[in-house]
Amino acid sequence: MILNLKEHQQWLTEFYKKRGWYQYPTFVHLNFMTEEVGELSRAVRAIEIGRDHPGEMKKTPEELQDNLEEELADVMDQVLMISSKYDVDPEILLKRSESKLTRRFKK
């Protein structure tokens, strides 16, 4: 099933409510996002410079790509959860991003 951002945000919000995670204060969700950004950093590092760690098996390029996509999705989900807590439509975030960058770098 392919969803747009708003549909995914709604699905995710319901999922979090069913798990009892939605009611956490927003700063807790921000901490979750910080954790996910750390995991994303690790995934990027593994692709860019590798990981020389004796406790980890070397991953294939496909496994590295899969991990990168998973961590990017986790970060996105936390952005969507914080947006949901403040009743922000994620489509507005896309428009605001484009508008800000267009205005800032207009020549």
Side-chain angles (χ1 to χ4, degrees), residues 42-59:
R42 186 179 196 171
V44 169
R45 174 186 170 188
I47 291 170
E48 294 292 326
I49 64 171
R51 291 198 38 89
D52 184 16
H53 190 284
E56 295 179 12
M57 293 184 60
K58 186 172 171 125
K59 293 183 179 178

Side-chain angles (χ1 to χ4, degrees), residues 47-106:
I47 291 170
E48 294 292 326
I49 64 171
R51 291 198 38 89
D52 184 16
H53 190 284
E56 295 179 12
M57 293 184 60
K58 186 172 171 125
K59 293 183 179 178
T60 66
E62 294 80 16
E63 290 171 324
L64 292 170
Q65 181 69 23
D66 182 65
N67 185 240
L68 175 67
E69 291 172 7
E70 180 178 327
E71 299 308 338
L72 283 166
D74 289 347
V75 171
M76 180 186 69
D77 283 352
Q78 290 308 314
V79 169
L80 292 174
M81 287 312 308
I82 292 169
S83 299
S84 175
K85 297 289 275 186
Y86 290 106
D87 197 30
V88 174
D89 181 337
E91 302 293 333
I92 296 295
L93 299 177
L94 298 177
K95 291 175 186 172
R96 290 192 61 115
S97 172
E98 289 179 21
S99 175
K100 174 183 170 181
L101 293 171
T102 300
R103 246 187 358 264
R104 184 175 289 171
F105 295 98
K106 186 164 61 171

Side-chain angles (χ1 to χ4, degrees), residues 1-12 14-15 18 76:
M1 170 181 13
I2 297 176
L3 304 172
N4 65 35
L5 275 177
K6 189 169 187 147
E7 290 169 336
H8 182 66
Q9 183 187 47
Q10 291 168 345
W11 177 88
L12 192 63
E14 288 306 311
F15 179 85
K18 286 178 188 172
M76 180 186 69

Side-chain angles (χ1 to χ4, degrees), residues 5-54:
L5 275 177
K6 189 169 187 147
E7 290 169 336
H8 182 66
Q9 183 187 47
Q10 291 168 345
W11 177 88
L12 192 63
T13 298
E14 288 306 311
F15 179 85
Y16 269 58
K17 285 179 178 177
K18 286 178 188 172
R19 301 286 305 171
W21 300 339
Y22 188 79
Q23 81 284 355
Y24 294 136
T26 308
F27 71 86
V28 172
H29 289 279
L30 185 58
N31 285 330
F32 292 162
M33 185 168 67
T34 301
E35 179 182 341
E36 296 301 346
V37 168
E39 291 173 11
L40 174 59
S41 295
R42 186 179 196 171
V44 169
R45 174 186 170 188
I47 291 170
E48 294 292 326
I49 64 171
R51 291 198 38 89
D52 184 16
H53 190 284

